[in-house]
Amino acid sequence: MSSDQPSIILDCDPGHDDAIAIIVAARHTNVLGLTTVAGNAPLSATTRNAIIVRDLLGLDAPVHSGAERPLIREPKHADYVHGKSGMDGADLPEPSGPPASTDAVGFIIDTCRANEGAWLVPTGPMTNIGLALRAAPDLKDRIAGISLMGGGTFGNRTAAAEFNIWCDPEAADIVFSYGGPLIMSGLDLTHQFQALPPRIEMVRALPGQLAHVLAGLLDFFSHTYTSRHHGIGGAAVHDPLAVMALTHPHLFTVKNAHVEVETDGVRTLGMTIIDQRDLKEVPPGNCEWQTHVDADAAWDVVVEAIAHFSH
Ligand code: RIB
Ligand code: CA
């Protein structure tokens, strides 16, 4: 860790792409901790997977589990994308042990108060983050900001809503209205960043167990994408872009925008409404909306990070 690396708490629901986000974070940030939330799979699975990835990297960071369900809605998962385990596609080692605690929210609050200037990086449903911001409003002035994967100009779980927001729109609404710095990496960005076959081969060509495991995970993840989509050549590797927004900002094009979350719609529940009107009445922007990524360069960051931990 170098002093110029951002300090972050990565709140995640591993999740194939969350695993890649953990690797990039381990390589390029000071990971204060990993917190887990139910999302791609139930909390027990996402927590197990976060510990396994942490262990594979030899990362010195605690894993704290958090919310097993959204603030008010019923829990929903995505085994149709990630498999029953949440990370199907590879022979994974057993986790080294249980999470450090089951109080992710308390960890987030205490750690942000003790480490002023940390970033919160949610890459799953934002239940833990919403609970922390509601319990400790002072976090707004203590954190450097929030860089999230979620939302965008179109949906995936519904025509309008992206999965992380759709799972817990009320928590996402707390995040988008918290009033501090906010970076959104939505589907319009992350679908530019696909695990195309040549990119997966770059991973498979690396030595060591980690690269072998990740190549298998990416094969599985990409198959679920290409089998369900018409025009996608590989899995959209969403979550590491929320980390690279902080570590490699030169790879992105960003616009300031006013974004709100739909919490009442029948067909639009969980939609991120990005106000693109050219009107003076549009409220001031509350979000840095990442609209483009240099996908080849970003994939090189992923491959280098995997190589760094492969031996
Ligand atoms: O919609 C994509 C997001 O939902 C990603 O974070 C993926 O891991 C799932 O959590
Ligand atoms: Ca995720």
Side-chain angles (χ1 to χ4, degrees):
M1 171 193 73
S2 68
S3 60
D4 61 347
Q5 289 184 331
S7 292
I8 77 166
I9 294 174
L10 181 57
D11 186 72
C12 54
D13 64 334
H16 294 71
D17 53 325
D18 301 77
I20 304 294
I22 295 170
I23 295 168
V24 174
R27 178 70 175 114
H28 294 287
T29 76
N30 171 28
V31 181
L32 299 173
L34 302 175
T35 51
T36 57
V37 64
N40 284 322
L43 180 66
S44 56
T46 60
T47 303
R48 170 188 169 87
N49 293 336
I51 294 168
I52 288 170
V53 175
R54 191 272 312 268
D55 294 345
L56 282 170
L57 301 177
L59 175 62
D60 179 17
V63 174
H64 294 264
S65 64
E68 62 182 353
R69 57 165 299 136
L71 294 182
I72 59 174
R73 297 175 190 274
E74 289 305 306
K76 302 176 189 81
H77 305 303
D79 54 6
Y80 56 92
V81 176
H82 297 275
K84 282 289 183 204
S85 73
M87 270 187 6
D88 282 15
D91 291 331
L92 297 173
E94 286 300 306
S96 57
S101 88
T102 58
D103 184 14
V105 174
F107 172 78
I108 290 167
I109 293 170
D110 294 346
T111 303
C112 290
R113 285 174 174 165
N115 298 271
E116 300 255 345
W119 282 88
L120 296 176
V121 182
T123 63
M126 296 165 210
T127 316
N128 292 335
I129 309 298
L131 287 166
L133 290 171
R134 193 163 62 183
D138 60 297
L139 290 191
K140 169 181 174 287
D141 299 314
R142 294 178 183 274
I143 62 176
I146 299 173
S147 181
L148 65 89
M149 191 279 138
T153 58
F154 55 87
N156 54 9
R157 191 60 189 78
T158 70
E162 177 278 326
F163 179 79
N164 290 339
I165 312 289
W166 176 82
C167 279
D168 198 340
E170 286 73 21
D173 188 31
I174 293 171
V175 170
F176 276 88
S177 53
Y178 94 104
L182 182 65
I183 305 171
M184 175 175 77
S185 297
L187 294 178
D188 49 303
L189 179 83
T190 64
H191 277 221
Q192 300 170 34
F193 189 53
Q194 297 176 19
L196 303 172
R199 290 175 177 162
I200 297 179
E201 292 316 308
M202 292 167 70
V203 175
R204 204 185 320 275
L206 297 172
Q209 180 198 18
L210 176 67
H212 176 71
V213 164
L214 288 169
L217 291 175
L218 289 168
D219 285 340
F220 177 92
F221 192 31
S222 279
H223 180 262
T224 63
Y225 261 78
T226 54
S227 63
R228 296 183 66 240
H229 289 78
H230 294 297
I232 276 195
V237 189
H238 312 277
D239 294 339
L241 298 185
V243 176
M244 284 191 241
L246 307 179
T247 60
H248 297 79
H250 60 283
L251 299 183
F252 299 92
T253 303
V254 181
K255 283 181 189 174
N256 185 261
H258 185 80
V259 181
E260 295 183 10
V261 177
E262 176 59 79
T263 55
D264 296 318
V266 172
R267 295 175 182 78
T268 57
L269 180 68
M271 179 179 181
T272 48
I273 299 117
I274 304 169
D275 199 330
Q276 300 186 66
R277 295 175 295 168
D278 179 24
L279 290 173
K280 293 178 182 175
E281 71 192 58
V282 172
N286 61 332
C287 168
E288 294 307 309
W289 168 31
Q290 303 221 110
T291 58
H292 182 267
V293 59
D294 178 343
D296 285 335
W299 191 261
D300 287 345
V301 172
V302 169
V303 173
E304 191 281 336
I306 295 169
H308 176 80
F309 291 105
S310 293
H311 32 66

